[in-house]
Amino acid sequence: MKGELLEIMKITDILNSKKVTLSYEVFPPKAGTPFEPVINAVDKLCSDKPDFMSVTYGAGGGTSSNTVKIASHVQNDLGVTALAHLTCLSSTREQVSSVIDEMKANGIENILALRGDIPKDGNLPVGEHYTYAYELVKEIKSRGDFCIGGACYPEGHTECAHQDEDIKNLKLKVDSGVDFLTTQMFFDNNVLYNFLYKIREQGITVPVIAGIMPVTNGKQIERICQLSGTYLPTRFKAIVDKFGDNPEAMKQAGIAYATEQIIDLVANGVKGIHIYTMNKPDIADSIKRNLSYIIGDNQ
Ligand code: FAD
Protein backbone atom coordinates (compact mmCIF):
# COMPACT_ATOMS: atom_id res chain seq x y z
CA MET A 1 0.00 0.00 0.00
CA LYS A 2 3.07 2.24 0.27
CA GLY A 3 2.81 5.17 -2.10
CA GLU A 4 -1.00 5.40 -2.03
CA LEU A 5 -0.87 8.08 0.61
CA LEU A 6 -4.17 9.58 1.62
CA GLU A 7 -4.66 13.02 3.08
CA ILE A 8 -4.25 12.85 6.85
CA MET A 9 -7.25 14.41 8.47
CA LYS A 10 -8.45 15.48 11.84
CA ILE A 11 -10.95 12.94 13.23
CA THR A 12 -13.59 15.67 13.57
CA ASP A 13 -13.27 16.46 9.85
CA ILE A 14 -13.62 12.75 9.02
CA LEU A 15 -16.74 12.54 11.22
CA ASN A 16 -18.18 15.62 9.51
CA SER A 17 -17.42 14.42 6.01
CA LYS A 18 -19.16 11.01 6.14
CA LYS A 19 -22.63 9.70 6.95
CA VAL A 20 -21.19 6.92 9.11
CA THR A 21 -17.56 6.22 10.01
CA LEU A 22 -15.96 2.88 10.86
CA SER A 23 -12.69 2.83 12.78
CA TYR A 24 -10.44 0.07 14.09
CA GLU A 25 -8.01 -0.38 16.96
CA VAL A 26 -4.63 -2.01 17.45
CA PHE A 27 -2.43 -2.43 20.48
CA PRO A 28 1.35 -2.14 20.06
CA PRO A 29 3.73 -4.91 21.16
CA LYS A 30 4.37 -5.22 24.87
CA ALA A 31 7.94 -4.68 26.07
CA GLY A 32 10.22 -7.51 24.92
CA THR A 33 7.75 -8.99 22.39
CA PRO A 34 8.35 -8.88 18.63
CA PHE A 35 7.05 -6.11 16.39
CA GLU A 36 6.48 -8.21 13.30
CA PRO A 37 3.16 -9.92 14.18
CA VAL A 38 1.68 -6.56 15.19
CA ILE A 39 2.88 -4.90 12.00
CA ASN A 40 1.35 -7.77 9.97
CA ALA A 41 -1.98 -7.32 11.76
CA VAL A 42 -1.84 -3.53 11.30
CA ASP A 43 -1.08 -3.88 7.58
CA LYS A 44 -4.03 -6.23 7.09
CA LEU A 45 -6.39 -4.05 9.14
CA CYS A 46 -5.36 -0.97 7.16
CA SER A 47 -5.95 -2.74 3.85
CA ASP A 48 -9.66 -2.57 4.83
CA LYS A 49 -9.30 1.25 4.72
CA PRO A 50 -10.91 2.10 8.05
CA ASP A 51 -11.75 5.78 8.50
CA PHE A 52 -9.06 5.92 11.16
CA MET A 53 -6.99 3.57 13.28
CA SER A 54 -6.65 3.90 17.04
CA VAL A 55 -3.33 2.83 18.54
CA THR A 56 -3.49 2.10 22.27
CA TYR A 57 -0.96 3.15 24.88
CA GLY A 58 0.62 0.63 27.24
CA ALA A 59 -0.43 1.15 30.85
CA GLY A 60 2.41 2.86 32.67
CA GLY A 61 3.80 4.46 29.53
CA GLY A 62 6.82 2.09 29.35
CA THR A 63 6.10 1.25 25.71
CA SER A 64 5.14 4.77 24.61
CA SER A 65 7.57 4.76 21.71
CA ASN A 66 5.85 1.62 20.35
CA THR A 67 2.56 3.53 20.20
CA VAL A 68 4.23 6.35 18.30
CA LYS A 69 6.04 3.92 15.97
CA ILE A 70 2.87 2.01 15.09
CA ALA A 71 0.78 5.19 14.72
CA SER A 72 3.46 6.64 12.47
CA HIS A 73 3.54 3.44 10.35
CA VAL A 74 -0.29 3.52 10.04
CA GLN A 75 -0.24 7.10 8.88
CA ASN A 76 3.02 7.66 7.07
CA ASP A 77 3.46 4.25 5.39
CA LEU A 78 -0.15 3.04 5.02
CA GLY A 79 -2.00 6.34 4.49
CA VAL A 80 -4.63 5.76 7.18
CA THR A 81 -5.29 8.50 9.73
CA ALA A 82 -3.98 7.45 13.14
CA LEU A 83 -5.44 8.24 16.54
CA ALA A 84 -2.62 7.78 19.07
CA HIS A 85 -3.71 7.10 22.65
CA LEU A 86 -1.79 8.77 25.47
CA THR A 87 -2.18 8.16 29.21
CA CYS A 88 -0.81 10.46 31.90
CA LEU A 89 -1.26 9.12 35.43
CA SER A 90 1.78 6.85 35.52
CA SER A 91 4.21 9.26 33.86
CA THR A 92 5.71 12.54 34.94
CA ARG A 93 4.57 15.71 33.19
CA GLU A 94 8.01 15.84 31.58
CA GLN A 95 7.65 12.32 30.15
CA VAL A 96 4.18 13.11 28.81
CA SER A 97 5.53 16.29 27.26
CA SER A 98 8.26 14.44 25.39
CA VAL A 99 5.74 11.90 24.01
CA ILE A 100 3.59 14.79 22.71
CA ASP A 101 6.73 16.18 21.02
CA GLU A 102 7.43 12.77 19.47
CA MET A 103 3.86 12.52 18.18
CA LYS A 104 4.09 15.99 16.68
CA ALA A 105 7.41 15.17 15.00
CA ASN A 106 5.76 12.11 13.41
CA GLY A 107 2.86 14.14 12.01
CA ILE A 108 0.27 12.71 14.40
CA GLU A 109 -2.56 15.20 14.76
CA ASN A 110 -5.14 13.11 16.61
CA ILE A 111 -4.61 12.10 20.23
CA LEU A 112 -6.96 10.23 22.59
CA ALA A 113 -6.17 11.87 25.95
CA LEU A 114 -6.55 9.41 28.82
CA ARG A 115 -5.77 9.28 32.48
CA GLY A 116 -4.92 5.54 32.53
CA ASP A 117 -5.82 3.11 35.29
CA ILE A 118 -4.49 3.49 38.81
CA PRO A 119 -1.55 1.04 39.09
CA LYS A 120 -2.38 -2.09 41.16
CA ASP A 121 0.53 -1.38 43.50
CA GLY A 122 -0.68 2.22 43.89
CA ASN A 123 2.78 3.54 43.00
CA LEU A 124 2.71 6.76 41.04
CA PRO A 125 5.79 8.39 39.47
CA VAL A 126 8.07 10.49 41.60
CA GLY A 127 7.76 14.05 40.38
CA GLU A 128 4.90 16.13 39.07
CA HIS A 129 2.18 14.18 37.30
CA TYR A 130 -1.39 14.69 36.10
CA THR A 131 -4.28 13.31 38.17
CA TYR A 132 -7.15 13.41 35.65
CA ALA A 133 -7.48 13.30 31.89
CA TYR A 134 -8.90 16.83 31.68
CA GLU A 135 -5.50 18.21 32.76
CA LEU A 136 -3.82 16.26 29.96
CA VAL A 137 -6.41 17.60 27.51
CA LYS A 138 -5.46 21.16 28.50
CA GLU A 139 -1.76 20.38 28.09
CA ILE A 140 -2.21 18.85 24.60
CA LYS A 141 -4.42 21.76 23.57
CA SER A 142 -1.68 24.21 24.59
CA ARG A 143 0.89 22.32 22.52
CA GLY A 144 -0.48 22.77 19.02
CA ASP A 145 -3.27 22.15 16.58
CA PHE A 146 -4.26 18.68 17.75
CA CYS A 147 -7.68 17.07 17.46
CA ILE A 148 -8.28 15.67 20.94
CA GLY A 149 -10.47 12.72 21.89
CA GLY A 150 -11.57 11.60 25.34
CA ALA A 151 -12.98 8.39 26.83
CA CYS A 152 -16.52 8.13 28.18
CA TYR A 153 -18.42 5.43 30.03
CA PRO A 154 -22.09 4.85 29.17
CA GLU A 155 -22.47 2.82 32.37
CA GLY A 156 -20.35 5.20 34.45
CA HIS A 157 -16.65 4.87 35.26
CA THR A 158 -15.96 2.17 37.89
CA GLU A 159 -14.37 4.64 40.32
CA CYS A 160 -17.35 6.98 40.30
CA ALA A 161 -20.24 5.97 42.56
CA HIS A 162 -22.84 8.13 40.80
CA GLN A 163 -23.27 8.53 37.07
CA ASP A 164 -24.36 12.16 37.47
CA GLU A 165 -21.01 12.93 39.04
CA ASP A 166 -19.15 11.06 36.29
CA ILE A 167 -21.05 13.10 33.68
CA LYS A 168 -20.19 16.32 35.54
CA ASN A 169 -16.51 15.29 35.39
CA LEU A 170 -16.95 14.43 31.71
CA LYS A 171 -18.33 17.91 31.05
CA LEU A 172 -15.21 19.44 32.65
CA LYS A 173 -13.04 17.23 30.41
CA VAL A 174 -14.95 18.19 27.26
CA ASP A 175 -14.88 21.89 28.19
CA SER A 176 -11.10 21.59 28.62
CA GLY A 177 -10.78 20.98 24.87
CA VAL A 178 -12.10 17.54 23.88
CA ASP A 179 -13.30 17.44 20.26
CA PHE A 180 -14.94 14.00 20.31
CA LEU A 181 -15.56 11.10 22.69
CA THR A 182 -15.18 7.34 22.29
CA THR A 183 -17.20 5.06 24.53
CA GLN A 184 -16.21 2.13 26.62
CA MET A 185 -17.64 -1.12 25.21
CA PHE A 186 -21.29 -1.90 25.92
CA PHE A 187 -23.50 -4.82 24.92
CA ASP A 188 -26.93 -3.28 25.26
CA ASN A 189 -27.54 -0.35 22.90
CA ASN A 190 -30.20 1.09 25.20
CA VAL A 191 -27.39 1.81 27.65
CA LEU A 192 -25.80 4.07 25.04
CA TYR A 193 -29.06 5.76 24.05
CA ASN A 194 -29.82 6.61 27.71
CA PHE A 195 -26.28 7.91 28.21
CA LEU A 196 -26.46 10.10 25.09
CA TYR A 197 -29.71 11.58 26.32
CA LYS A 198 -28.17 12.37 29.73
CA ILE A 199 -24.97 13.95 28.41
CA ARG A 200 -26.77 16.05 25.79
CA GLU A 201 -29.02 17.29 28.59
CA GLN A 202 -25.87 18.39 30.46
CA GLY A 203 -24.64 20.34 27.46
CA ILE A 204 -22.06 17.85 26.14
CA THR A 205 -22.54 18.20 22.40
CA VAL A 206 -19.32 16.83 20.85
CA PRO A 207 -19.61 13.73 18.62
CA VAL A 208 -19.69 10.40 20.48
CA ILE A 209 -18.18 7.38 18.75
CA ALA A 210 -19.68 4.07 19.88
CA GLY A 211 -17.06 1.49 20.91
CA ILE A 212 -18.07 -2.05 19.92
CA MET A 213 -16.23 -5.10 21.20
CA PRO A 214 -16.68 -8.27 19.11
CA VAL A 215 -16.53 -11.03 21.70
CA THR A 216 -14.60 -14.01 20.50
CA ASN A 217 -13.45 -15.45 23.81
CA GLY A 218 -16.23 -16.18 26.31
CA LYS A 219 -14.15 -16.59 29.45
CA GLN A 220 -12.06 -13.49 28.80
CA ILE A 221 -15.07 -11.24 28.31
CA GLU A 222 -16.72 -12.28 31.57
CA ARG A 223 -13.57 -11.25 33.42
CA ILE A 224 -13.24 -7.97 31.48
CA CYS A 225 -16.89 -7.12 32.18
CA GLN A 226 -16.47 -7.81 35.88
CA LEU A 227 -13.51 -5.43 35.99
CA SER A 228 -15.05 -2.69 33.87
CA GLY A 229 -18.59 -3.00 35.30
CA THR A 230 -20.04 -3.55 31.81
CA TYR A 231 -23.59 -4.96 31.87
CA LEU A 232 -24.01 -8.35 30.20
CA PRO A 233 -27.56 -8.67 28.81
CA THR A 234 -29.24 -12.06 29.34
CA ARG A 235 -29.28 -12.63 25.57
CA PHE A 236 -25.53 -12.08 25.47
CA LYS A 237 -24.88 -14.29 28.51
CA ALA A 238 -26.79 -17.13 26.86
CA ILE A 239 -24.49 -16.89 23.85
CA VAL A 240 -21.36 -16.96 26.01
CA ASP A 241 -22.74 -19.87 28.10
CA LYS A 242 -23.58 -21.88 25.01
CA PHE A 243 -20.57 -21.17 22.80
CA GLY A 244 -17.87 -19.90 25.20
CA ASP A 245 -15.97 -23.19 25.12
CA ASN A 246 -16.11 -23.56 21.34
CA PRO A 247 -13.75 -20.92 19.89
CA GLU A 248 -15.01 -21.13 16.30
CA ALA A 249 -18.68 -20.98 17.32
CA MET A 250 -17.98 -18.14 19.78
CA LYS A 251 -16.16 -16.22 17.06
CA GLN A 252 -19.08 -16.60 14.65
CA ALA A 253 -21.62 -15.63 17.33
CA GLY A 254 -19.46 -12.68 18.49
CA ILE A 255 -19.21 -11.33 14.93
CA ALA A 256 -22.98 -11.70 14.47
CA TYR A 257 -23.73 -9.98 17.80
CA ALA A 258 -21.40 -7.05 17.03
CA THR A 259 -22.87 -6.73 13.52
CA GLU A 260 -26.40 -6.63 14.91
CA GLN A 261 -25.43 -4.02 17.52
CA ILE A 262 -23.88 -1.81 14.82
CA ILE A 263 -26.90 -2.10 12.50
CA ASP A 264 -29.18 -1.00 15.34
CA LEU A 265 -26.86 1.90 16.24
CA VAL A 266 -26.70 3.14 12.66
CA ALA A 267 -30.47 2.75 12.26
CA ASN A 268 -30.89 4.95 15.33
CA GLY A 269 -28.64 7.72 14.05
CA VAL A 270 -25.26 6.92 15.65
CA LYS A 271 -22.68 8.17 13.15
CA GLY A 272 -19.37 6.95 14.56
CA ILE A 273 -18.66 3.24 15.03
CA HIS A 274 -15.37 2.11 16.52
CA ILE A 275 -14.56 -1.61 16.58
CA TYR A 276 -12.19 -2.86 19.26
CA THR A 277 -10.49 -5.05 16.68
CA MET A 278 -7.71 -6.13 19.06
CA ASN A 279 -5.18 -6.91 16.29
CA LYS A 280 -7.59 -9.39 14.65
CA PRO A 281 -7.98 -8.50 10.97
CA ASP A 282 -10.19 -11.51 10.14
CA ILE A 283 -12.83 -10.42 12.67
CA ALA A 284 -12.76 -6.80 11.50
CA ASP A 285 -13.02 -7.92 7.91
CA SER A 286 -16.01 -10.21 8.58
CA ILE A 287 -17.91 -7.43 10.35
CA LYS A 288 -17.08 -4.93 7.62
CA ARG A 289 -18.32 -7.32 4.93
CA ASN A 290 -21.56 -7.84 6.88
CA LEU A 291 -22.07 -4.08 6.77
CA SER A 292 -21.09 -3.41 3.17
CA TYR A 293 -24.44 -1.81 2.25
CA ILE A 294 -24.89 -0.21 5.68
CA ILE A 295 -21.54 1.51 6.21
CA GLY A 296 -18.98 2.51 3.64
CA ASP A 297 -18.93 3.25 -0.04
CA ASN A 298 -22.31 1.63 -0.69
CA GLN A 299 -24.33 3.56 1.89
P1 FAD B 1 -10.72 10.57 33.60
O1 FAD B 1 -11.56 11.24 32.59
O2 FAD B 1 -9.68 11.37 34.28
O3 FAD B 1 -11.70 9.92 34.70
C1 FAD B 1 -11.20 8.98 35.64
C2 FAD B 1 -12.08 8.99 36.90
O4 FAD B 1 -11.90 10.23 37.59
C3 FAD B 1 -13.59 8.92 36.61
O5 FAD B 1 -14.19 8.18 37.63
C4 FAD B 1 -14.03 10.40 36.65
O6 FAD B 1 -15.41 10.53 37.01
C5 FAD B 1 -13.11 10.94 37.74
N1 FAD B 1 -12.80 12.36 37.57
C6 FAD B 1 -12.45 12.99 36.42
N2 FAD B 1 -12.24 14.28 36.65
C7 FAD B 1 -12.42 14.49 37.97
C8 FAD B 1 -12.32 15.64 38.82
N3 FAD B 1 -12.00 16.84 38.33
N4 FAD B 1 -12.59 15.48 40.15
C9 FAD B 1 -12.94 14.26 40.65
N5 FAD B 1 -13.03 13.14 39.88
C10 FAD B 1 -12.78 13.26 38.56
N6 FAD B 1 -6.02 2.75 29.12
C11 FAD B 1 -4.72 2.61 28.77
O7 FAD B 1 -3.86 2.37 29.64
N7 FAD B 1 -4.33 2.73 27.45
C12 FAD B 1 -5.20 3.00 26.46
O8 FAD B 1 -4.81 3.10 25.29
C13 FAD B 1 -6.58 3.14 26.79
N8 FAD B 1 -7.52 3.42 25.82
C14 FAD B 1 -8.83 3.61 26.18
C15 FAD B 1 -9.77 3.94 25.19
C16 FAD B 1 -11.12 4.11 25.52
C17 FAD B 1 -12.10 4.48 24.45
C18 FAD B 1 -11.55 3.94 26.87
C19 FAD B 1 -13.00 4.08 27.22
C20 FAD B 1 -10.62 3.62 27.86
C21 FAD B 1 -9.26 3.46 27.53
N9 FAD B 1 -8.30 3.16 28.51
C22 FAD B 1 -6.97 3.00 28.16
C23 FAD B 1 -8.70 2.96 29.91
C24 FAD B 1 -8.65 4.28 30.73
O9 FAD B 1 -7.30 4.70 30.86
C25 FAD B 1 -9.26 3.98 32.10
O10 FAD B 1 -10.62 3.68 31.97
C26 FAD B 1 -9.02 5.00 33.20
O11 FAD B 1 -9.40 4.41 34.44
C27 FAD B 1 -9.79 6.30 33.09
O12 FAD B 1 -9.31 7.09 32.09
P2 FAD B 1 -10.09 8.44 31.65
O13 FAD B 1 -9.24 9.09 30.63
O14 FAD B 1 -11.49 8.14 31.33
O15 FAD B 1 -9.99 9.27 33.03
Side-chain angles (χ1 to χ4, degrees):
M1 209 194 285
K2 241 178 184 168
E4 283 180 40
L5 294 188
L6 306 175
E7 190 194 349
I8 300 310
M9 292 172 82
K10 299 267 195 297
I11 305 275
T12 40
D13 293 334
I14 298 175
L15 293 170
N16 283 331
S17 68
K18 300 193 80 169
K19 282 191 195 151
V20 182
T21 61
L22 188 67
S23 50
Y24 290 171
E25 180 156 310
V26 287
F27 52 87
K30 293 194 174 74
T33 63
F35 244 83
E36 205 190 329
V38 177
I39 292 290
N40 287 342
V42 169
D43 290 0
K44 283 191 189 135
L45 283 163
C46 283
S47 69
D48 251 5
K49 296 200 164 56
D51 287 301
F52 65 88
M53 176 77 82
S54 254
V55 185
T56 67
Y57 198 79
T63 54
S64 64
S65 65
N66 289 355
T67 298
V68 180
K69 270 187 210 150
I70 301 278
S72 172
H73 175 62
V74 162
Q75 210 165 261
N76 301 322
D77 299 335
L78 304 175
V80 171
T81 297
L83 170 62
H85 295 201
L86 172 61
T87 70
C88 60
L89 184 66
S90 296
S91 310
T92 62
R93 288 182 185 227
E94 216 181 340
Q95 286 163 336
V96 168
S97 172
S98 77
V99 180
I100 298 172
D101 284 342
E102 218 188 320
M103 288 180 177
K104 209 173 188 177
N106 280 275
I108 291 155
E109 297 185 0
N110 300 288
I111 303 181
L112 191 71
L114 299 145
R115 185 199 68 177
D117 285 323
I118 297 170
K120 283 193 189 85
D121 59 12
N123 285 340
L124 292 174
V126 179
E128 257 203 300
H129 61 83
Y130 300 99
T131 311
Y132 296 113
Y134 83 91
E135 300 164 287
L136 174 63
V137 170
K138 283 186 179 173
E139 172 63 15
I140 299 170
K141 191 106 198 135
S142 74
R143 297 291 293 280
D145 183 23
F146 289 103
C147 175
I148 306 171
C152 66
Y153 304 83
E155 295 169 64
H157 185 257
T158 44
E159 287 164 38
C160 212
H162 299 288
Q163 194 182 34
D164 288 355
E165 203 184 313
D166 202 34
I167 292 177
K168 209 173 79 199
N169 295 332
L170 183 63
K171 173 90 167 86
L172 170 66
K173 181 159 72 176
V174 172
D175 289 348
S176 300
V178 163
D179 297 300
F180 68 93
L181 293 165
T182 304
T183 75
Q184 174 67 285
M185 64 179 165
F186 56 91
F187 298 105
D188 177 349
N189 288 355
N190 287 325
V191 166
L192 180 78
Y193 302 141
N194 292 340
F195 174 71
L196 289 176
Y197 183 79
K198 286 181 187 166
I199 64 167
R200 298 306 186 213
E201 205 181 26
Q202 294 307 314
I204 298 173
T205 56
V206 293
V208 176
I209 300 174
I212 297 297
M213 172 76 87
V215 175
T216 52
N217 180 325
K219 291 215 168 67
Q220 199 178 28
I221 201 67
E222 283 186 36
R223 198 175 49 80
I224 293 172
C225 286
Q226 269 165 13
L227 291 176
S228 65
T230 304
Y231 163 63
L232 284 174
T234 313
R235 199 168 73 86
F236 181 88
K237 268 193 201 150
I239 291 172
V240 174
D241 284 349
K242 183 82 179 170
F243 306 116
D245 292 331
N246 178 341
E248 285 308 316
M250 190 62 232
K251 185 171 160 186
Q252 211 164 35
I255 289 167
Y257 195 95
T259 303
E260 214 181 288
Q261 254 194 296
I262 295 170
I263 293 171
D264 179 74
L265 290 169
V266 174
N268 282 285
V270 173
K271 291 183 65 192
I273 305 291
H274 181 69
I275 306 181
Y276 290 112
T277 44
M278 314 286 283
N279 299 14
K280 291 182 180 143
D282 53 333
I283 289 166
D285 199 48
S286 299
I287 296 175
K288 191 165 187 211
R289 270 189 281 115
N290 286 345
L291 299 168
S292 56
Y293 286 92
I294 290 164
I295 297 181
D297 301 339
N298 295 317
Q299 68 183 312

